[in-house]
Amino acid sequence: MKLSRNALYGSLLLLPAAVLLWTFTYQPILTTMVNSLFSTPRGRRPAEFVGLENYEVMINDPVFWKSLINNGIYAVTTIPLSMALALAMALLVNSKLRGQGLVRMAYFTPTVLPMVAVANIWLFFYAPDYGLIDQFLRPFGLAGSNLLGTPETALWALIVITVWKEAGFFMIFYLAALQQISPTLLEAARLEGASPWQILRRVTLPLLMPTTLFVSINAVIGAFRLVDHVIAMTKGGPDNATTLLLFYIYQTGFSFWDTSYAATLTVVLLAILALIALFQFGYADKRVHYR
């Protein structure tokens, strides 16, 4: 009787979270999967079951493949760069540094800036002829470059913005983890004659692995959810050079109003994130040592 009462209390405590999880996560996912199998209702014409037709259209869609490749390049570049820069900044501000508080604030400031404000700041940086970057390059005869208007450089310009904005956010987690490392471990390594590089590699980094896993999960999510900067700065151009998968989903669903095809693209995005999550929790998590 006591066991059943405890189970009842536990179920009641979990019920609000379960309702929210079903309402805002699982139910929308199932609805999206179902909608991907139907046509888009237009006017008085209701949605019709079309099976895998939307997926066949997607396979033959060059813009989809372009956005997928762009997102792959974007993720593979921004995730390690932002994490490495965040770790370097955390190591710096965790050391005995004059003006430590000001440096921490300077590193974290880009994180709290609104997306639209960040886009406007970097639009001024990237503007050809009168932008800050061109003003700096003018004495070297390199002014006049249109970084956001050239297909070869537009995506890399967005990558720079993302690394600049996210590194400070990840730095906070690394800084908190560094401050939890026992000083006796570091002192013991120094007494054994370990160099600073050996201490970082053999002591600090292994102890930071739980934080690294957490940060990597957030970095992956961020790499596949970018849409604000694309809308504010490039609209996916030029020539779809900055069209990422989530922006293409937004464009298909809200600009072209093809909701069923947008649902199909969303299912693919969810599948990609699920595969990455399986790798992170099934493979990487087993190699993380928790204290």
Side-chain angles (χ1 to χ4, degrees):
M1 183 67 180
K2 184 177 180 180
L3 179 62
S4 61
R5 183 178 297 177
N6 289 337
L8 177 62
Y9 288 159
S11 300
L12 290 176
L13 290 172
L14 290 175
L15 183 60
V19 170
L20 291 174
L21 195 62
W22 168 258
T23 303
F24 296 104
T25 303
Y26 296 122
Q27 192 269 341
I29 290 175
L30 292 175
T31 302
T32 300
M33 296 176 67
V34 171
N35 289 341
S36 70
L37 302 176
F38 286 81
S39 63
T40 300
R42 299 185 184 278
R44 296 182 179 179
R45 187 181 66 186
E48 298 178 356
F49 180 77
V50 295
L52 299 177
E53 181 178 322
N54 288 321
Y55 292 91
E56 294 177 1
V57 173
M58 181 188 66
I59 292 174
N60 297 311
D61 183 3
V63 180
F64 162 72
W65 291 109
K66 179 67 174 177
S67 65
L68 191 61
I69 293 172
N70 289 342
N71 223 142
I73 296 172
Y74 178 85
V76 170
T77 307
T78 57
I79 292 172
L81 283 179
S82 58
M83 291 177 62
L85 183 58
L87 178 59
M89 292 191 301
L91 291 170
L92 178 62
V93 299
N94 192 51
S95 61
K96 294 180 180 178
L97 184 69
R98 181 176 296 180
Q100 190 181 66
L102 291 175
V103 176
R104 290 181 181 180
M105 183 185 68
Y107 285 161
F108 188 69
T109 298
T111 301
V112 299
L113 292 177
M115 289 288 190
V116 176
V118 171
N120 287 325
I121 291 171
W122 282 90
L123 279 173
F124 169 69
F125 287 169
Y126 288 144
D129 296 326
Y130 65 86
L132 190 63
I133 294 178
D134 269 13
Q135 292 295 327
F136 176 78
L137 295 177
R138 189 179 300 279
F140 304 97
L142 300 175
S145 58
N146 190 358
L147 296 176
L148 289 175
T150 306
E152 291 77 16
T153 59
L155 182 61
W156 298 102
L158 290 181
I159 288 172
V160 170
I161 298 173
T162 301
V163 173
W164 175 79
K165 183 169 176 58
E166 290 191 346
F169 176 66
F170 298 150
M171 179 203 69
I172 296 299
F173 298 105
Y174 276 124
L175 181 60
L178 285 171
Q179 293 178 348
Q180 295 299 316
I181 297 178
S182 175
T184 58
L185 295 175
L186 304 178
E187 186 63 28
R190 294 189 188 97
L191 291 175
E192 291 294 330
S195 64
W197 168 249
Q198 289 173 326
I199 294 174
L200 176 64
R201 182 182 177 188
R202 300 295 185 181
V203 180
T204 305
L205 290 181
L207 293 175
L208 291 178
M209 282 305 294
T211 302
T212 300
L213 177 62
F214 173 78
V215 169
S216 67
I217 293 171
N218 282 274
V220 168
I221 295 173
F224 284 91
R225 74 176 183 181
L226 179 71
V227 68
D228 311 70
H229 292 165
V230 178
I231 294 175
M233 302 183 73
T234 65
K235 302 292 190 301
D239 193 23
N240 292 316
T242 58
T243 298
L244 304 182
L245 190 53
L246 186 59
F247 174 76
Y248 189 41
I249 294 172
Y250 162 81
Q251 190 179 47
T252 302
F254 295 97
S255 296
F256 306 150
W257 204 250
D258 192 351
T259 55
S260 63
Y261 189 49
T264 305
L265 296 171
T266 304
V267 171
V268 173
L269 176 59
L270 292 174
I272 293 172
L273 293 176
L275 290 175
I276 296 175
L278 286 175
F279 169 78
Q280 288 179 318
F281 288 105
Y283 177 79
D285 189 46
K286 293 180 180 178
R287 286 154 177 78
V288 174
H289 301 283
Y290 296 93
R291 290 173 291 172

